[in-house]
Amino acid sequence: KEDITKYESEKEFEVKQQLDSLKHLDEIRIQQAETKAKEEEIKTQKIIESVLFVGILLVIGFLGFVYKQLNTTKKQKVVIEEKQQEISDSINYAKRIQDAMMTSSVYLKDTLPKSFIFFKPKDVVSGDFYWIYKDQEGNIFFTVADCTGHGVPGAFMSMIGTSLLNEIIVEKGISDTNKILDEMRTQIIKSLNQDTTDDQKDGMDISICKLNMKKKTLEFSGAHNPLLIVSGNELITIKGDSQAVGLENVDIKPFTKHSMKLKKDDMIYIYSDGYQDQFGGENGKKYMTANFKKLLLKISKEDEKKQNKLLEIELANWMQKEEQIDDICVMGVRV
């Protein structure tokens, strides 16, 4: 019994030791697992922190790049605005020069009291221009010209045209309208060094009149541009020559002079092609020469100031939302 009891006690002690060992081993394994889990968690946390750090660096770098680009853009914008202002100032100064070279409204009213100018440039400066001069014999020269191009290039040509009219009529005293255009053409070809190999045939379409109010006589010459006379209820069209003042590919011929006798209250019109070529109306088509002539005949009995206003109203109603495509100049003179 004693042996059995001793054996059982020893076995029980062994089992207890084994159980304690297993329990201790489980605790070690659990600790190892917890330690590994913590290490994995710390590793994951470090990866997340590294990714966040790189992301923050990238965001900071991107923001820095954007800020630098914004600064560059801002500086470029300032430079562009300064350049635009310089260009705008130059164009406005060119306009003042062009306005100074064209006949003043005061001189126009003194020379031709019953007259009007409907002048509407497409841009700040114009390729269309008008010019008036009265000589010592009482002859009144007046002209409307449409130069090649509009804006700045057209304005340069208009200044050349104005200077040539002053030189030819005022200084040289050439008074025949056809000879004036012949001389203008010669001078333009010479001053622009034009020859038959040029691709650009710079020049101008022009109507020039010489009116004597006392004698009621009118001389007219035209380069493409016509002359319209409203006498009573009749509208008379006198066409200009089919050539411009400048070098052309066609054979150059002397310009034609048309002479006519006028009556009191006759209305004379010369103009560029800007008005009748303007798009508008319901279908966005050109106004057309026929409609323009009907309009002039319709308003010809009105006083000159009202005619100017009616031309402006008609053009605005016709254009609506359409953009102006060319310079516009219409001159009306009452005999």
Side-chain angles (χ1 to χ4, degrees):
K1 287 181 180 179
E2 288 178 357
D3 290 339
I4 290 169
T5 302
K6 184 179 179 182
Y7 176 77
E8 287 178 351
S9 298
E10 289 176 351
K11 278 291 183 183
E12 185 179 349
F13 180 74
E14 282 182 22
V15 169
K16 187 176 179 182
Q17 278 187 327
Q18 288 177 355
L19 287 172
D20 288 342
S21 295
L22 289 173
K23 186 177 179 182
H24 181 67
L25 184 62
D26 287 341
E27 287 177 354
I28 290 172
R29 287 175 178 174
I30 289 169
Q31 287 179 354
Q32 288 177 343
E34 288 178 350
T35 301
K36 189 175 181 181
K38 286 181 179 179
E39 288 175 352
E40 289 293 331
E41 184 179 350
I42 291 169
K43 188 177 179 181
T44 304
Q45 187 69 26
K46 286 181 177 179
I47 292 171
I48 293 171
E49 288 176 354
S50 298
V51 171
L52 286 174
F53 181 72
V54 172
I56 290 168
L57 287 178
L58 289 174
V59 170
I60 292 171
F62 178 73
L63 290 174
F65 174 76
V66 170
Y67 179 75
K68 186 177 179 181
Q69 287 297 110
L70 286 173
N71 272 345
T72 303
T73 304
K74 189 176 180 181
K75 290 176 181 177
Q76 290 174 343
K77 183 182 178 183
V78 171
V79 171
I80 291 170
E81 287 176 349
E82 288 175 353
K83 293 296 181 185
Q84 286 179 335
Q85 187 62 46
E86 288 176 7
I87 293 169
S88 179
D89 291 342
S90 297
I91 293 173
N92 288 328
Y93 187 68
K95 176 176 172 56
R96 289 198 294 272
I97 294 172
Q98 186 180 38
D99 291 344
M101 293 185 74
M102 282 196 285
T103 305
S104 69
S105 57
V106 175
Y107 185 79
L108 172 64
K109 285 301 177 184
D110 287 342
T111 308
L112 293 168
K114 294 185 176 182
S115 65
F116 72 87
I117 295 284
F118 180 66
F119 185 56
K120 189 175 177 62
K122 180 184 182 299
D123 303 306
V124 178
V125 288
S126 172
D128 286 7
F129 73 92
Y130 57 90
W131 184 87
I132 299 160
Y133 172 71
K134 185 175 183 179
D135 65 14
Q136 294 180 350
E137 285 79 34
N139 296 311
I140 302 171
F141 297 86
F142 56 95
T143 181
V144 166
D146 181 1
C147 299
T148 305
H150 49 76
V152 175
F156 276 115
M157 282 300 302
S158 74
M159 292 179 191
I160 292 173
T162 304
S163 299
L164 288 175
L165 287 169
N166 285 321
E167 179 185 338
I168 294 166
I169 299 175
V170 182
E171 296 177 15
K172 293 183 177 180
I174 298 174
S175 60
D176 292 329
T177 54
N178 57 325
K179 292 181 180 178
I180 292 169
L181 295 189
D182 289 337
E183 181 65 17
M184 282 188 75
R185 177 169 57 194
T186 301
Q187 293 295 333
I188 285 175
I189 293 172
K190 181 180 177 182
S191 61
L192 297 180
N193 296 318
Q194 292 179 333
D195 57 52
T196 53
T197 61
D198 287 339
D199 294 330
Q200 293 293 334
K201 307 301 181 187
D202 295 314
M204 63 189 72
D205 299 336
I206 185 172
S207 297
I208 183 165
C209 298
K210 182 175 76 172
L211 175 64
N212 191 299
M213 286 292 192
K214 291 182 180 179
K215 298 177 182 178
K216 291 185 174 52
T217 57
L218 179 68
E219 289 181 11
F220 163 76
S221 294
H224 286 303
N225 289 353
L227 164 72
L228 298 183
I229 300 173
V230 177
S231 183
N233 294 321
E234 183 184 6
L235 188 144
I236 303 163
T237 302
I238 301 171
K239 293 182 179 180
D241 294 304
S242 297
Q243 55 183 354
V245 175
L247 187 65
E248 292 197 333
N249 294 324
V250 297
D251 293 334
I252 294 177
K253 299 178 181 179
F255 285 97
T256 308
K257 180 174 71 173
H258 303 271
S259 301
M260 60 216 74
K261 191 78 174 175
L262 301 176
K263 299 176 184 177
K264 189 178 183 300
D265 293 329
D266 282 355
M267 198 71 200
I268 303 165
Y269 297 102
I270 54 176
Y271 49 89
S272 65
D273 60 1
Y275 201 107
Q276 59 266 35
D277 286 349
Q278 178 59 47
F279 290 100
E282 294 180 358
N283 300 318
K285 295 183 177 180
K286 287 186 178 182
Y287 190 76
M288 303 301 289
T289 303
N291 291 327
F292 184 58
K293 289 181 178 180
K294 288 178 183 178
L295 174 63
L296 293 179
L297 181 61
K298 180 181 177 182
I299 67 175
S300 60
K301 298 295 185 294
E302 305 290 345
D303 67 73
E304 296 71 37
K305 187 175 181 181
K306 188 172 181 180
Q307 286 189 51
N308 197 341
K309 189 65 178 176
L310 290 172
L311 282 170
E312 183 181 358
I313 293 170
E314 176 70 10
L315 182 66
N317 291 337
W318 175 255
M319 286 177 61
Q320 297 179 8
K321 295 181 180 179
E322 293 286 344
E323 183 182 351
Q324 185 175 338
I325 63 167
D326 199 1
D327 301 315
I328 296 172
C329 186
V330 181
M331 178 184 285
V333 177
R334 178 84 67 186
V335 178

